[in-house]
Amino acid sequence: NAGVTQTPKFQVLKTGQSMTLQCAQDMNHNSMYWYRQDPGMGLRLIYYSASEGTTDKGEVPNGYNVSRLNKREFSLRLESAAPSQTSVYFCASLTGTGNTGELFFGEGSRLTVL
Amino acid sequence: GQQLNQSPQSMFIQEGEDVSMNCTSSSIFNTWLWYKQDPGEGPVLLIALYKAGELTSNGRLTAQFGITRKDSFLNISASIPSDVGIYFCAGPPVAGNNRKLIWGLGTSLAVNP
């Protein structure tokens, strides 16, 4: 019963390098999300995908791109990493319809940009 | 962006004590969600509330959906060391995109055995 799986769990990058965070869910959910978590800032939405084939910006999209590869997979790409992108990144998928909004989260990907 | 106001920001209590925390908003919500994040993990849903005035329990946890629909409360009774973590409230906005949850900044709980 995997739920939401994120890879990698840890990554260190140099400024300017690129990388992709992978996320997959096996719960047949339509909506998927990428959040970042920084101390004292709570969870901030980067991008989300309401359904396969659609993506929308969240609160802090600058410096990121996403791809909803299929219903299961939603990836987050940093094209040119900056130290300000050092953070813990969480992928989540949404169950329910309407106002239920029950998110299931992955374990997080801890990214450090030097 | 819009946020929910959670208080207190942090708590340090003795094992066995009861804990109360709350979440308020200037706008109404139709759903209130309470999540817990253990250290090094992703948040996990504890309790979901869907009706104003609703009181829901999950073991030692009890949450209430405020009658004004602008607040919610979470109580933990007889705290134990594994209650340590960050507790977040969240909810989909009534107006606007209900696929995008609004989040509080969290209440960090430490329990002294």
Side-chain angles (χ1 to χ4, degrees):
Chain A
N1 189 15
V4 178
T5 303
Q6 292 181 232
T7 57
K9 288 187 169 41
F10 299 93
Q11 183 73 49
V12 178
L13 292 177
K14 294 181 180 178
T15 297
Q17 287 185 318
S18 62
M19 76 158 299
T20 300
L21 300 177
Q22 307 285 355
C23 176
Q25 52 95 6
D26 60 3
M27 297 173 283
N28 202 37
H29 293 163
N30 286 320
S31 298
M32 298 184 71
Y33 300 75
W34 277 105
Y35 287 91
R36 61 177 288 174
Q37 185 176 31
D38 303 291
M41 302 292 290
L43 290 159
R44 293 185 291 171
L45 182 64
I46 305 171
Y47 271 93
Y48 72 103
S49 170
S51 61
E52 185 179 353
T54 67
T55 61
D56 285 287
K57 295 178 180 180
E59 188 181 351
V60 288
N62 291 344
Y64 305 95
N65 286 301
V66 290
S67 296
R68 184 71 182 269
L69 305 171
N70 47 56
K71 192 171 186 178
R72 291 185 65 249
E73 298 172 287
F74 188 38
S75 63
L76 178 72
R77 182 161 179 84
L78 287 69
E79 290 291 352
S80 179
S84 61
Q85 294 178 304
T86 293
S87 187
V88 182
Y89 292 85
F90 288 99
C91 178
S93 66
L94 184 72
T95 187
T97 57
N99 275 330
T100 57
E102 298 178 25
L103 283 171
F104 287 83
F105 285 84
E107 293 184 340
S109 298
R110 286 149 183 81
L111 175 66
T112 300
V113 182
L114 302 175
Chain B
Q2 184 181 358
Q3 283 182 328
L4 298 173
N5 300 309
Q6 273 190 260
S7 65
Q9 185 175 354
S10 62
M11 303 179 74
F12 188 87
I13 62 171
Q14 294 294 123
E15 184 176 358
E17 289 184 0
D18 296 342
V19 173
S20 292
M21 60 189 78
N22 68 77
C23 192
T24 61
S25 172
S26 58
S27 53
I28 62 173
F29 280 74
N30 286 332
T31 298
W32 286 94
L33 306 168
W34 285 94
Y35 284 82
K36 183 197 176 191
Q37 184 178 25
D38 288 330
E41 302 288 333
V44 174
L45 183 67
L46 296 174
I47 294 178
L49 302 160
Y50 301 113
K51 190 175 178 181
E54 180 181 356
L55 188 70
T56 298
S57 293
N58 179 3
R60 293 178 296 104
L61 276 63
T62 301
Q64 184 162 22
F65 192 141
I67 292 177
T68 66
R69 295 167 63 194
K70 292 184 178 180
D71 57 9
S72 180
F73 306 88
L74 177 69
N75 296 315
I76 305 172
S77 62
S79 60
I80 59 178
S82 62
D83 290 333
V84 165
I86 304 175
Y87 292 80
F88 292 100
C89 62
V94 172
N97 188 339
N98 65 14
R99 302 282 89 187
K100 295 167 66 174
L101 292 182
I102 308 299
W103 291 85
L105 294 182
T107 293
S108 179
L109 179 64
V111 179
N112 190 28

